[in-house]
Amino acid sequence: MDFLTLFLIYLCFVLAVTALLCLCSGRKESFLARSVNRASQVLSLVIPTQLQRVTHRALHRLFHTRSCLFVVLHVALQAAVFGEYTWEVFVYCWELQFHILLLLLPYLLLAGNVGCFLLCSRANPGIVTKSNAASLVKVYAYDGVLFQRGLVCPTCTVQKPARSKHCSVCRTCVHRFDHHCVWVNNCIGASNAGVFLLYLLSLTATAAAVAAVTAAFLIQVLLLSNIMHGTYLDAQGQEHAVEIPFLVQHLFLTFPRVVFMLGFVILLTLVLGGYCSFSLYLALTNQTTNEWCKSRRFRGSLHLPSQPHDRPLVYKNIYSKGIWRNLKEIFNPPTVLERKKK
């Protein structure tokens, strides 16, 4: 009972923190951001200055420069999960005569995920250069709210096309910029947004397949051991009917690595499933993560220099063309401006 309770508390805590981050991410000055700033100010009073500088440099190098650390961590986690799956789950399931296609499904999904990962990490996301800036300016119209005509990137010294943004990590402007993904060590832009979506879907499907096969294996073990229909004796010698906490504890003592891997993969599936749903929503509405965050921060209180103060700006997504055309644009980005027929 103690193990199951602690695991459920841990799972609820992680999901609650994830939900809190999602809710607070779009606010201009959220409670979370203010709390972090205040905590940083308090910690700066007790942490030595030298340690603060070292920590700041390490965090800056980790999150604000291109680094292969998260790619290595990505590969290491996949290797650990599939190593345990192959070493124990696959072998035992083969002895239990599971269908071979069911056992090979995670490997097939992994192969597709690795292919999408390589394409996404090595592809040009849509870098804006002086040679292609003039043509990229004609691809999307400026909405006059999030994207203004005539702006020049002070770093790249090129005119910024609509829906583009300068990435401080890659130090380039990216056309139809979505975000910089540390897990693929590359920006997500117009040229690799479709592959990134396939990468997310295949990664979620891989984790779900591993979780399903592992759960089926553990259930089969319980059925063969007949422990689900029996009783057990506690420390005082009293007989009790078998309950779910006892089953979980029994499996954890029998296959500790498998149970731990199953808990990790289930949590990973939930987190990736939520992020996949969000990415699909953005794709179907023809938005980017950058545009979604900016539109949430925009509350109608922003005024352009030429805009009368009594006429607040209202953001409207002018790039959505319907579900199917939006989805098609993700995998086949436009190269010329599509004007509406009047």
Side-chain angles (χ1 to χ4, degrees):
M1 183 63 182
D2 293 336
F3 167 76
L4 182 60
T5 302
L6 291 175
F7 179 77
L8 290 177
I9 292 175
Y10 168 74
L11 180 61
C12 293
F13 173 76
V14 173
L15 293 178
V17 171
T18 304
L20 181 63
L21 290 173
C22 293
L23 290 175
C24 297
S25 62
R27 300 181 182 178
K28 187 174 183 179
E29 293 184 357
S30 63
F31 172 76
L32 182 63
R34 293 195 300 268
S35 301
V36 171
N37 291 332
R38 292 173 183 173
S40 301
Q41 294 175 0
V42 173
L43 291 176
S44 64
L45 300 176
V46 296
I47 298 178
T49 305
Q50 190 65 25
L51 182 59
Q52 293 183 35
R53 292 176 180 174
V54 173
T55 304
H56 182 268
R57 290 175 183 174
L59 292 177
H60 178 79
R61 184 174 181 82
L62 187 62
F63 293 101
H64 297 282
T65 59
R66 296 196 68 174
S67 172
C68 294
L69 180 61
F70 284 96
V71 176
V72 174
L73 179 60
H74 183 330
V75 175
L77 288 175
Q78 282 191 328
V81 168
F82 273 88
E84 180 61 27
Y85 175 81
T86 304
W87 183 258
E88 289 198 72
V89 178
F90 185 89
V91 174
Y92 284 120
C93 287
W94 179 264
E95 295 178 356
L96 294 174
Q97 297 182 350
F98 276 57
H99 199 285
I100 185 61
L101 292 180
L102 179 64
L103 298 180
L104 293 179
L105 180 60
Y107 296 105
L108 298 176
L109 293 172
L110 176 65
N113 177 252
V114 171
C116 293
F117 170 79
L118 293 175
L119 290 175
C120 189
S121 60
R122 298 175 64 88
N124 181 348
I127 297 177
V128 181
T129 62
K130 293 182 179 180
S131 60
N132 64 8
S135 60
L136 292 179
V137 166
K138 302 176 183 179
V139 175
Y140 291 111
Y142 292 88
D143 62 358
V145 180
L146 300 183
F147 305 103
Q148 308 296 329
R149 184 181 297 275
L151 295 181
V152 177
C153 175
T155 305
C156 303
T157 63
V158 296
Q159 184 178 357
K160 298 179 66 174
R163 311 189 77 179
S164 66
K165 185 180 183 299
H166 182 83
C167 177
S168 59
V169 179
C170 297
R171 299 178 182 179
T172 56
C173 285
V174 179
H175 188 226
R176 200 185 181 279
F177 178 84
D178 191 275
H179 70 288
H180 181 88
C181 180
V182 296
W183 298 105
V184 299
N185 197 26
N186 198 6
C187 281
I188 309 302
S191 300
N192 62 350
V195 179
F196 180 74
L197 183 60
L198 293 178
Y199 162 76
L200 280 179
L201 293 173
S202 61
L203 186 61
T204 306
T206 303
V210 172
V213 176
T214 305
F217 159 68
L218 294 178
I219 293 175
Q220 187 70 15
V221 169
L222 292 176
L223 292 175
L224 293 176
S225 62
N226 293 324
I227 194 174
M228 296 180 66
H229 306 288
T231 59
Y232 70 97
L233 298 178
D234 59 11
Q236 289 75 28
Q238 297 180 352
E239 187 175 1
H240 298 276
V242 173
E243 299 176 350
I244 293 180
F246 177 79
L247 296 177
V248 175
Q249 186 175 6
H250 172 75
L251 290 175
F252 186 77
L253 294 175
T254 308
F255 302 100
R257 294 192 302 270
V258 175
V259 174
F260 180 79
M261 181 195 72
L262 178 61
F264 170 75
V265 174
I266 290 177
L267 180 60
L268 184 64
T269 304
L270 294 176
V271 174
L272 288 174
Y275 187 51
C276 272
S277 301
F278 173 69
S279 299
L280 281 173
Y281 162 75
L282 294 180
L284 295 177
T285 56
N286 205 334
Q287 296 183 81
T288 65
T289 304
N290 176 53
E291 295 165 2
W292 181 82
C293 292
K294 284 184 176 180
S295 65
R296 290 197 67 196
R297 295 191 184 102
F298 182 75
R299 291 293 182 266
S301 59
L302 183 64
H303 294 269
L304 298 177
S306 59
Q307 185 76 13
H309 286 271
D310 58 345
R311 296 178 58 188
L313 295 175
V314 178
Y315 170 73
K316 181 181 179 181
N317 181 15
I318 66 172
Y319 306 112
S320 180
K321 307 167 186 175
I323 292 178
W324 296 114
R325 294 182 65 184
N326 292 340
L327 195 59
K328 180 182 177 181
E329 185 174 310
I330 293 294
F331 297 98
N332 185 24
T335 56
V336 294
L337 178 63
E338 297 181 1
R339 299 184 180 276
K340 294 182 179 180
K341 295 181 180 180
K342 294 184 180 181

